[in-house]
């Protein structure tokens, strides 16, 4: 009986998404993947107030969130079966309404950044919590589903480096190190990436250039990843960085700091390295640049496809609704 009721919810389920960045490509992929399971979704996002070159925490004011909370709360009682709060700062209005269950997804900076205490507190009251990495799950005192953002393997795929460089205009005889983040982001730490690249340049034959690429259409990023010789991630903290997974899908070697789930993702990928110190990052980048521009990362990333992510989130929804049905079959109007 319970399974049949859950099946009915799967077919007719209506979900309200609360999110800080509705235009973020990884979130749009998530919405599309869940919609393909027949789940109807409405998204309510926090309005952007400053330029995208600032850190996510700095790009919205307290007033923006107060407006968002006052707008989100009435939405949650308009016939939805479930509220999905994406990012810790969207959780308070989701948890304030008493009518429908809440799934909370934490992205990384909301747990390890300045608002970590709020995210931990909200996680205690959500019906289910989704995190990007095992590191994040270990940092919480509640059971979690580890479901990293998926990669579109049809868009991010390998193709010839020479062709990619010709399209985007990169010098074909130069070693190119890709830094796909804003230069002004403190978390991504462009100055450290520049320092690492300059030190590696002294140890490699031929010219080496750090390429900061940010703000280009997402569908063009595979061009840059296939044109590059390595992706360099120097972040101070991460959850499950999409750029690393997308680089793996393109067979682009990665050199990264030990943040989020990067070590787990790159454990069996060759050549790619995870290092903690500047000296280690320099040695790793030199190794990658000397060995060539192709890794075997695509095989390792296949289990994290967008389709697999959508199925796992759908299953979390089903589990939450099934538990609520078992406890109280009649939902408040």
């Amino acid at each position: 009986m319970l399974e049949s009721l859950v099946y009915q919810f799967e077919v007719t389920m209506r979900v309200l998404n609360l999110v800080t960045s509705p235009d973020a490509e990884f979130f749009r992929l998530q919405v599309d993947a869940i919609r393909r399971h027949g789940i109807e979704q409405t998204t309510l996002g926090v309005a952007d107030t400053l330029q995208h070159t600032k850190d996510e925490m700095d790009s919205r004011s307290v007033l923006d969130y107060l407006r968002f909370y006052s707008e989100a709360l009435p939405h949650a009682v308009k016939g939805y079966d479930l509220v999905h709060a994406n990012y810790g700062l969207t959780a308070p209005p989701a948890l304030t309404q008493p009518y429908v269950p809440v799934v909370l997804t934490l992205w990384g900076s909301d747990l390890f950044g300045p608002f970590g205490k709020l995210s931990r507190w909200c996680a205690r009251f959500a019906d289910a919590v989704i995190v990007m990495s095992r590191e994040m799950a270990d940092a919480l005192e509640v059971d979690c589903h580890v479901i990293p953002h998926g990669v579109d393997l049809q868009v991010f795929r390998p193709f010839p480096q020479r062709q990619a460089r010709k399209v985007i205009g990169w010098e074909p005889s130069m070693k190119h190190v890709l830094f796909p983040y804003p230069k002004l982001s403190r978390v991504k730490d462009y100055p450290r990436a520049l320092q690492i690249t300059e030190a590696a340049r002294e140890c490699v034959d031929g010219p080496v250039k750090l390429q900061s690429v940010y703000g280009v259409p997402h569908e063009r990023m595979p061009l840059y990843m296939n044109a590059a010789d390595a992706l360099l991630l120097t972040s101070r903290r991460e959850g499950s960085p999409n750029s690393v997974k997308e680089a793996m899908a393109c067979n682009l070697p990665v050199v990264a700091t030990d943040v989020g789930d990067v070590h787990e993702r790159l454990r069996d990928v060759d050549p790619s390295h995870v290092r903690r110190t500047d000296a280690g990052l320099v040695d790793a980048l030199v190794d990658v640049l000397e060995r060539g521009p192709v890794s075997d990362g695509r095989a390792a990333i296949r289990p994290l496809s967008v389709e697999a992510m959508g199925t796992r989130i759908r299953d979390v929804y089903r589990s939450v609704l099934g538990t609520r049905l078992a406890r109280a079959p009649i939902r408040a109007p």
Side-chain angles (χ1 to χ4, degrees):
M1 178 65 175
L2 180 58
E3 290 182 358
S4 64
L5 289 172
V6 172
Y7 176 75
Q8 291 176 18
F9 264 111
E10 179 185 352
V11 174
T12 62
M13 191 189 308
R14 297 185 67 222
V15 173
L16 174 63
N17 283 312
L18 305 182
V19 65
T20 54
S21 305
D23 294 329
E25 185 64 25
F26 61 82
F27 176 73
R28 289 166 55 186
L29 289 173
Q30 173 183 305
V31 170
D32 290 343
I34 295 171
R35 184 176 291 121
R36 286 194 286 271
H37 286 281
I39 297 173
E40 181 181 336
Q41 297 170 91
T42 299
T43 296
L44 188 62
V46 183
D48 290 335
T49 58
L50 298 177
Q51 306 230 339
H52 290 293
T53 52
K54 298 243 183 163
D55 282 347
E56 188 172 39
M57 285 294 127
D58 296 332
S59 64
R60 297 167 182 88
S61 69
V62 173
L63 183 59
D64 286 323
Y65 279 102
L66 290 177
R67 290 197 193 105
F68 174 73
Y69 292 169
S70 64
E71 186 177 353
L73 187 55
H75 269 78
V77 299
K78 292 183 178 179
Y80 294 101
D81 300 298
L82 181 146
V83 177
H84 189 166
N86 296 270
Y87 202 79
L89 287 175
T90 68
L95 293 168
T96 301
Q97 58 78 31
Y99 302 115
V100 297
V102 174
V103 173
L104 170 62
T105 290
L106 300 177
W107 289 351
S109 58
D110 48 356
L111 179 59
F112 298 125
F115 295 98
K117 288 185 178 179
L118 175 63
S119 296
R120 287 181 173 85
W121 184 85
C122 290
R124 294 168 53 194
F125 298 97
D127 293 87
V129 178
I130 297 172
V131 293
M132 300 294 107
S133 67
R134 177 51 53 189
E135 177 192 29
M136 293 178 65
D138 292 342
L140 291 171
E141 297 179 353
V142 299
D143 292 335
C144 299
H145 303 270
V146 179
I147 309 177
H149 289 127
V151 180
D152 189 336
L153 297 177
Q154 295 182 349
V155 174
F156 287 87
R157 55 185 176 81
F159 51 86
Q161 185 183 78
R162 182 180 298 274
Q163 175 186 345
R165 289 186 176 183
K166 183 177 181 180
V167 172
I168 62 178
W170 282 4
E171 172 61 43
S173 61
M174 183 177 289
K175 299 286 188 182
H176 296 276
V177 178
L178 179 62
F179 183 83
Y181 314 103
K183 290 183 179 180
L184 298 182
S185 170
R186 295 190 300 273
V187 172
K188 303 302 183 182
D189 204 348
Y190 175 79
R192 188 182 189 188
L194 185 60
Q195 178 183 343
I196 298 303
T197 304
E198 290 176 346
R201 184 183 296 126
E202 302 297 321
C203 306
V204 176
D205 292 334
V208 178
K209 184 174 183 179
L210 181 65
Q211 300 280 9
S212 178
V213 178
Y214 185 74
V216 303
H218 190 251
E219 61 270 16
R220 287 184 61 85
M221 282 308 298
L223 282 170
Y224 293 93
M225 290 190 169
N226 280 283
D229 295 278
L231 182 140
L232 179 59
L233 181 138
T234 51
S235 295
R236 300 177 182 182
R237 58 179 182 267
E238 293 279 358
S240 178
N242 274 17
S243 58
V244 169
K245 293 176 286 189
E246 291 166 351
M248 292 171 63
C250 294
N251 282 336
L252 175 65
V254 176
V255 174
T257 49
D258 191 3
V259 290
D261 67 349
V262 172
H263 191 276
E264 178 184 356
R265 297 287 153 244
L266 297 177
R267 181 181 295 120
D268 299 319
V269 178
D270 184 57
S272 285
H273 302 284
V274 178
R275 298 289 185 267
R276 295 179 181 272
T277 66
D278 285 2
L281 289 168
V282 172
D283 290 343
L285 184 56
V286 169
D287 175 69
V288 164
L289 294 177
E290 288 182 339
R291 291 174 61 186
V294 178
S295 77
D296 56 4
R298 187 172 178 83
I301 206 63
R302 285 190 183 279
L304 294 186
S305 68
V306 170
E307 291 74 20
M309 173 195 66
T311 298
R312 295 184 66 191
I313 295 176
R314 185 277 315 269
D315 290 346
V316 172
Y317 290 172
R318 289 180 57 185
S319 175
V320 167
L321 289 173
T323 300
R324 279 292 182 103
L325 282 169
R327 292 175 179 171
I330 301 177
R331 181 167 56 85

